Amino acid sequence: MADSSSTYQAGGSGDQPKKSIIPGFGRFKVALSTVLTMEIIMQLAYIFEYPNCLIDGLRKADTTTSCALLMVSGMEERGQIAPHDISQLLDSLKEIGNPGTASTVQELFLKHTDIPIEEEGAHSQGVIRERGHSEAENEATVDRDHDEPSQKTVGAPASSMSTMSPTSSSLMPIAPELMGHLMNSMTPPGVNIAGSNNVVNISCHVQSTGSVQLATSSSQLDPVPSPGPVPTPDHVPPPNQESDVPDTMSTFIQELKETGKALYDKIQPIPYIKDELDSVDKVFIEVGLERRVGKDSWKKLGSYHDIFPKEKGNPRIQIIEGDPGYGKSTLALQMVYDWCNEVSGSPFSGPDILICLNLRQLKGITSIAQAIKQCSLPFDSKLKLLDVEQLISKSNIWVIFDAYDEYPDQHNKVNFVMQMLKGKIGQHVNILLTTRSSCIPPALGARTGRIRLTGFDNAAQERYIRKVVTGDDEVVKKVLKHLNINPTLGVLCRAPLFSVMYAHLTHKGSMLHEISSVTGFFGHMISCFLSHTQNKLSGADESPENLQTHADTHAALDKLAFEALTSKMQQLVWDRTFFVGELGEVFYKLYVDVGILVEEKETHIPAPGKVPQHKTVVRFYHKLFGEWYAAYHLIECVKSRSYILPENINLYDLKFLFMFACGLDQPGGSQVIKLLGERKDGAESVVLCAPQLKEWSHDIQTTVRRIVSSGIDIYISDSRLLQQSTIQLLELASQHKIPISQVMLLESFSSVDPDSLPLVLRSGLCLPPLSTLKELVIWTEPGREVTVDEWTGILNYTNQCQLLKKLKLDLCLLPWMDSFPTSLGSVEVRWVTAIDGHEYTLQSGRWQNEDSGEILTRGAYDDLVTKFRERCSDTPWQERRRAERE
């Protein structure tokens, strides 16, 4: 049988078993190893579905060159490259987004082998032609067998010899440059390599178990010196050897709980209050939760205990999404608390193992076992990587991946997190993944559940104040009062992060209740932090005045934050030494004291047997603080009229950055809005940002006119912040006499206030009458029956919109009315039922079928009601109607 594995010659020339007679393929392999980076190697290893032990072996190679040579040998072993065909490698390079590397590799192959690759169909048909040879000669070249030398196997138990097939997927060849090391430490019996004139042909493979096999043959050669041995990976025990850690499962659980406690026991509600850290259960208040039950429909959940439904066949993967500051990470820590403390009644106390991994810390990590070993176990843990792999493979395990939007490797198409989400690995693991609503992982399966956080309602806000801040009834009423009368505060404080800070700072005497914009709120909040720190340090060597000077001079921090957030792969953590070098020691220390910057200890566990590496890293207290300082730099950038926003920026993900910029500087904010308006995806950002400006310039009015001329939609799924900003934009447009072509309420309409006549949205926000609105469309939730009072209120609302020409209601059942207000005048009223799409127009106080021209009689209307209720019987609205009547 011909051996297709790599052959190493321990000596000079001699008769060798030839692998291929195509010249130059060996030189091509060496050249190929020079263009493979570690990132590309890891991506290819996942694409080719290499076993974890082989991936670990690649990662632990001493140099990138060693790793690349190992990878080249592995690809040759598995047929991903061959002397006559490298199409599979080229296709895979293109698949992982490296067409340039693929082109380079193709050029190298042509250069060294003189074989061109036909682009169309080459891979599927195995068509690669060699210049100067006929087709028959090519086939003969490719298919010719080679003489096989006699072999003997060493370094593995006899029971494993039968697995020596070089094409087995459990074997991986060792690169030629590492063979010498292996020969020194694993010389076959009877062969003296260093002191003989023998040629030793060695085919070396690492099995998936970690054992090494050497197949050898010999002939006379000159002696060669032997390099020193390279230790084999010590995390893989020899065959049949058990782990040296007694009762590994109990050790594993104990260490996970110790690490979990360290996470949930240091909750810091306010950045500068570092001497009053709380356990998560002392501050946790349940936020609103909804489950997606259709393409665009969401159903309210009673508790976070309901995230994983008890019914069989429900998704084992749940995506928990929410806007910044909505409590995603706090919720994750509460789940960890429940498991560590075996909280009665909590489903999160049920699994054998529950692990919370902050994805921000997993850069470059290529497996779930490695992530757990490095981030969820003590650095001096006795458990080895193989122990972790075995324990999680046979356990009921739940994994929380926290902050996918901060995951450094999310743009790597083959990262292990995406492999788990797509079910390619870890199919037995229940997964919860938290992320911003603007950063949902792509291409998720249909059986992936979606949960969204809707924030604090008034009751939750009150519960937090009483539980954490104060139990004084009068103080509680005072704090809550301003949330009800200040619409900006009311919307902002739906986000638990803002609500918590508002409650604590107001209790300490801050005047946050007077703020009327997002920028004003955040700026005042940071001023409070700085003021508190200055008072605290007033007796120190650094005077408050000097501290304020340092606080006001933050251009270096602004630039660093902006460049990190707007790069293709956002950087959210920095090495402390680098950060201090960029900002200066005094400035850095001030912002750490204030709490805006947070230091963390990071431990990197290298190859087993090596000393763990410790370093201090720094990040912002919350990503929103990074957006605040980045906004200052954006203002400086747009002062140059030639500045263009980078195309890769996710506008919605960084919406607060743009909102802050518009609120910080009027001229700069106007330029920011102009830039946003010029982008195809910028309309929503303009809606959010325009209300932050105190005055609208002519350019701003032009941008807003262009946006509202194409219509404005308010979805039920829109965040309260977006809905509030949309309403503010519409009001300002009306005040500036800008015509609004259409407003469409998509399942967001709730009722009409009978006194002041605004339309009340299901979020609780109100849309006042708009003097320049031309058309209003109300698309209700399916199955809804509008009451007489609601219908009358809608008609009265239209009377307050002086330019309104059209009113349309979709999917609902309107009440029967014998007469309509004469004040409707020339307003065209249309009604589309859910029954066969019939559309009616109001003509002289009667409904007329637009298709047949027939007038809707009372009898026909009663039949329509019956059909409507039958057709919509399974909708949530009709289910509630029946429940109320029962």
Side-chain angles (χ1 to χ4, degrees):
M1 181 184 70
D3 185 0
S4 62
S5 62
S6 298
T7 300
Y8 181 86
Q9 300 177 353
S13 59
D15 295 332
Q16 302 297 324
K18 294 183 179 179
K19 182 169 185 177
S20 170
I21 64 173
I22 293 180
F25 186 64
R27 292 191 297 273
F28 163 72
K29 290 190 293 181
V30 173
L32 174 61
S33 69
T34 66
V35 299
L36 294 181
T37 65
M38 282 298 297
E39 180 180 3
I40 291 176
I41 291 169
M42 290 298 109
Q43 290 175 332
L44 289 174
Y46 276 110
I47 286 284
F48 296 148
E49 298 183 351
Y50 284 5
N52 284 340
C53 66
L54 302 186
I55 294 175
D56 289 339
L58 289 169
R59 193 186 324 109
K60 290 169 185 172
D62 292 336
T63 64
T64 301
T65 301
S66 299
C67 182
L69 287 167
L70 273 172
M71 188 66 191
V72 170
S73 295
M75 289 189 291
E76 182 182 15
E77 177 70 22
R78 287 163 178 76
Q80 283 121 15
I81 61 172
H84 59 287
D85 187 358
I86 61 167
S87 298
Q88 188 175 353
L89 171 60
L90 298 179
D91 291 346
S92 299
L93 287 170
K94 294 172 185 176
E95 182 179 347
I96 64 175
N98 282 279
T101 304
S103 177
T104 300
V105 170
Q106 186 170 344
E107 291 173 1
L108 289 172
F109 187 71
L110 176 61
K111 174 182 176 181
H112 291 289
T113 66
D114 207 29
I115 300 176
I117 297 178
E118 292 189 0
E119 294 291 341
E120 298 298 329
H123 179 59
S124 60
Q125 301 175 20
V127 182
I128 296 184
R129 309 200 189 281
E130 183 176 358
R131 292 178 183 174
H133 291 269
S134 68
E135 196 166 320
E137 287 174 327
N138 286 329
E139 293 175 0
T141 300
V142 171
D143 297 333
R144 187 175 293 123
D145 290 333
H146 313 298
D147 294 331
E148 184 175 51
S150 61
Q151 295 186 340
K152 51 184 175 180
T153 302
V154 297
S159 61
S160 68
M161 290 186 183
S162 61
T163 67
M164 279 289 293
S165 168
T167 58
S168 170
S169 62
S170 64
L171 301 178
M172 181 174 180
I174 297 297
E177 70 164 17
L178 301 181
M179 270 317 168
H181 299 288
L182 288 166
M183 287 189 296
N184 187 67
S185 58
M186 306 181 71
T187 304
V191 178
N192 182 357
I193 295 175
S196 74
N197 293 331
N198 289 332
V199 172
V200 183
N201 301 316
I202 302 179
S203 296
C204 179
H205 301 89
V206 180
Q207 298 189 87
S208 59
T209 60
S211 62
V212 179
Q213 295 179 328
L214 296 177
T216 71
S217 63
S218 63
S219 60
Q220 286 297 111
L221 257 195
D222 294 331
V224 294
S226 171
V230 171
T232 57
D234 67 355
H235 73 280
V236 182
N240 303 321
Q241 177 178 317
E242 299 295 332
S243 170
D244 58 357
V245 181
D247 196 4
T248 53
M249 178 57 81
S250 62
T251 300
F252 189 40
I253 291 174
Q254 179 184 351
E255 291 184 350
L256 287 174
K257 288 187 175 183
E258 290 174 358
T259 307
K261 188 175 189 299
L263 291 174
Y264 69 68
D265 246 1
K266 54 180 183 181
I267 302 298
Q268 189 178 347
I270 301 295
Y272 60 76
I273 303 178
K274 301 181 181 181
D275 51 354
E276 299 178 14
L277 301 182
D278 289 307
S279 174
V280 68
D281 66 304
K282 303 298 183 185
V283 301
F284 178 74
I285 298 293
E286 287 219 41
V287 297
L289 291 168
E290 293 180 341
R291 182 192 309 283
R292 193 169 75 171
V293 292
K295 184 177 180 181
D296 297 309
S297 299
W298 298 80
K299 182 179 180 180
K300 186 175 181 180
L301 297 182
S303 166
Y304 72 98
H305 290 177
D306 302 325
I307 287 176
F308 275 117
K310 298 179 177 62
E311 299 84 2
K312 291 184 178 180
N314 281 293
R316 66 175 180 85
I317 300 175
Q318 299 287 345
I319 306 298
I320 302 177
E321 62 184 89
D323 276 352
Y326 265 62
K328 300 180 290 294
S329 295
T330 304
L331 175 60
L333 290 178
Q334 180 63 37
M335 296 171 182
V336 174
Y337 175 88
D338 288 359
W339 181 73
C340 291
N341 295 277
E342 301 179 12
V343 174
S344 176
S346 172
F348 296 96
S349 63
D352 299 334
I353 298 169
L354 185 143
I355 296 164
C356 182
L357 294 167
N358 191 312
L359 290 175
R360 183 182 64 240
Q361 301 172 342
L362 303 190
K363 182 177 182 180
I365 290 180
T366 57
S367 72
I368 180 64
Q370 184 192 4
I372 295 169
K373 171 67 175 169
Q374 182 159 319
C375 301
S376 295
L377 297 179
F379 76 88
D380 57 350
S381 172
K382 294 182 179 179
L383 294 171
K384 302 179 186 298
L385 185 61
L386 183 64
D387 296 326
V388 176
E389 290 176 346
Q390 293 175 341
L391 289 168
I392 64 177
S393 68
K394 59 185 179 182
S395 305
N396 174 19
I397 177 173
W398 291 15
V399 174
I400 304 170
F401 289 124
D402 188 30
Y404 178 80
D405 53 287
E406 299 181 10
Y407 183 32
D409 292 345
Q410 63 178 269
H411 299 292
N412 178 347
K413 296 181 181 180
V414 290
N415 65 74
F416 82 92
V417 176
M418 279 306 303
Q419 298 293 304
M420 293 184 70
L421 291 176
K422 291 181 178 181
K424 294 186 177 180
I425 56 176
Q427 293 89 347
H428 67 292
V429 179
N430 280 352
I431 298 174
L432 293 105
L433 182 142
T434 73
T435 186
R436 286 191 179 193
S437 301
S438 59
C439 191
I440 305 298
L444 297 176
R447 293 184 55 78
T448 300
R450 291 275 292 275
I451 305 291
R452 70 177 182 186
L453 280 62
T454 58
F456 275 180
D457 58 14
N458 292 339
Q461 290 166 344
E462 181 174 350
R463 287 198 301 273
Y464 179 85
I465 295 171
R466 292 187 181 280
K467 181 177 181 178
V468 183
V469 182
T470 178
D472 188 312
D473 287 343
E474 291 301 317
V475 175
V476 172
K477 290 178 181 178
K478 179 181 177 182
V479 173
L480 291 174
K481 174 184 176 182
H482 299 296
L483 294 179
N484 295 324
I485 63 177
N486 186 328
T488 300
L489 271 182
V491 170
L492 276 178
C493 290
R494 284 284 176 161
L497 174 70
F498 291 130
S499 183
V500 166
M501 293 192 179
Y502 166 79
H504 284 277
L505 294 176
T506 300
H507 178 55
K508 294 179 180 294
S510 169
M511 302 299 288
L512 274 171
H513 61 272
E514 298 179 355
I515 302 303
S516 59
S517 70
V518 174
T519 307
F521 181 95
F522 212 87
H524 189 81
M525 183 176 67
I526 288 183
S527 295
C528 291
F529 296 168
L530 290 168
S531 176
H532 175 88
T533 304
Q534 289 165 12
N535 293 336
K536 182 178 178 181
L537 300 178
S538 59
D541 295 336
E542 195 75 45
S543 69
E545 292 77 14
N546 288 337
L547 289 174
Q548 185 61 50
T549 299
H550 292 307
D552 291 341
T553 310
H554 45 73
L557 180 62
D558 303 342
K559 182 179 180 182
L560 193 150
F562 181 81
E563 291 178 347
L565 290 172
T566 58
S567 62
K568 183 177 181 180
M569 299 180 66
Q570 291 185 353
Q571 181 177 0
L572 301 168
V573 178
W574 295 266
D575 181 84
R576 182 191 185 279
T577 303
F578 167 79
F579 220 78
V580 172
E582 292 292 309
L583 306 182
E585 185 69 44
V586 175
F587 180 94
Y588 176 82
K589 185 177 183 302
L590 168 65
Y591 273 69
V592 170
D593 288 338
V594 171
I596 292 172
L597 296 178
V598 177
E599 290 185 340
E600 292 179 342
K601 298 295 183 183
E602 188 176 275
T603 300
H604 175 66
I605 302 177
K610 295 185 179 181
V611 179
Q613 301 169 356
H614 309 281
K615 68 176 180 179
T616 301
V617 296
V618 61
R619 62 174 176 84
F620 284 102
Y621 173 81
H622 192 280
K623 189 175 176 181
L624 285 173
F625 287 83
E627 294 185 54
W628 172 261
Y629 288 99
Y632 282 94
H633 187 71
L634 176 59
I635 292 299
E636 292 301 313
C637 290
V638 298
K639 287 181 179 178
S640 168
R641 295 287 174 169
S642 60
Y643 179 77
I644 300 176
L645 289 173
E647 284 296 326
N648 63 283
I649 289 182
N650 183 330
L651 299 183
Y652 189 74
D653 179 51
L654 297 176
K655 59 179 176 286
F656 280 97
L657 189 162
F658 298 106
M659 293 170 71
F660 291 152
C662 292
L664 287 170
D665 185 85
Q666 179 74 29
S670 298
Q671 184 64 16
V672 168
I673 289 180
K674 181 180 178 182
L675 292 173
L676 292 172
E678 292 171 352
R679 287 181 51 141
K680 293 180 180 180
D681 58 345
E684 188 172 291
S685 297
V686 172
V687 170
L688 288 165
C689 292
Q692 300 297 312
L693 294 173
K694 295 179 180 179
E695 298 179 3
W696 280 11
S697 65
H698 176 74
D699 287 344
I700 297 301
Q701 293 185 43
T702 300
T703 300
V704 171
R705 180 176 282 103
R706 184 171 64 251
I707 290 174
V708 300
S709 66
S710 58
I712 295 292
D713 299 336
I714 302 179
Y715 291 86
I716 179 59
S717 57
D718 289 345
S719 67
R720 281 176 59 90
L721 178 61
L722 179 56
Q723 288 189 1
Q724 174 70 13
S725 298
T726 302
I727 292 170
Q728 290 177 326
L729 180 82
L730 293 170
E731 287 186 277
L732 290 168
S734 286
Q735 292 172 16
H736 286 84
K737 308 301 181 183
I738 298 174
I740 304 168
S741 65
Q742 182 192 78
V743 170
M744 181 179 289
L745 306 181
L746 293 159
E747 298 190 29
S748 56
F749 169 77
S750 174
S751 61
V752 182
D753 189 312
D755 298 323
S756 55
L757 291 181
L759 299 181
V760 181
L761 306 184
R762 290 168 67 183
S763 63
L765 299 174
C766 294
L767 177 66
L770 303 168
S771 60
T772 61
L773 177 61
K774 293 183 176 182
E775 180 179 2
L776 173 65
V777 178
I778 300 177
W779 191 317
T780 69
E781 64 269 42
R784 173 160 184 168
E785 298 184 19
V786 178
T787 67
V788 172
D789 288 343
E790 290 170 345
W791 184 217
T792 301
I794 291 171
L795 295 174
N796 289 334
Y797 175 87
T798 63
N799 291 333
Q800 307 301 312
C801 302
Q802 292 89 334
L803 298 184
L804 193 73
K805 298 298 181 184
K806 293 182 181 180
L807 170 64
K808 183 179 179 180
L809 289 97
D810 274 350
L811 299 183
C812 62
L813 178 66
L814 291 180
W816 178 264
M817 294 181 67
D818 292 319
S819 62
F820 288 85
T822 57
S823 57
L824 281 175
S826 60
V827 176
E828 178 184 316
V829 182
R830 291 176 176 268
W831 169 33
V832 180
T833 72
I835 307 301
D836 301 325
H838 286 168
E839 185 168 338
Y840 296 88
T841 57
L842 195 61
Q843 300 288 344
S844 303
R846 292 290 181 266
W847 289 114
Q848 182 180 49
N849 188 308
E850 193 166 271
D851 293 331
S852 66
E854 296 179 357
I855 299 298
L856 184 67
T857 65
R858 181 57 190 258
Y861 173 80
D862 291 341
D863 290 341
L864 189 150
V865 171
T866 301
K867 292 178 180 178
F868 180 88
R869 290 174 177 171
E870 290 176 353
R871 178 70 61 83
C872 303
S873 61
D874 60 346
T875 62
W877 202 97
Q878 287 293 327
E879 290 175 353
R880 290 195 301 270
R881 184 188 69 85
R882 290 195 298 271
E884 290 171 359
R885 294 197 172 189
E886 294 172 357

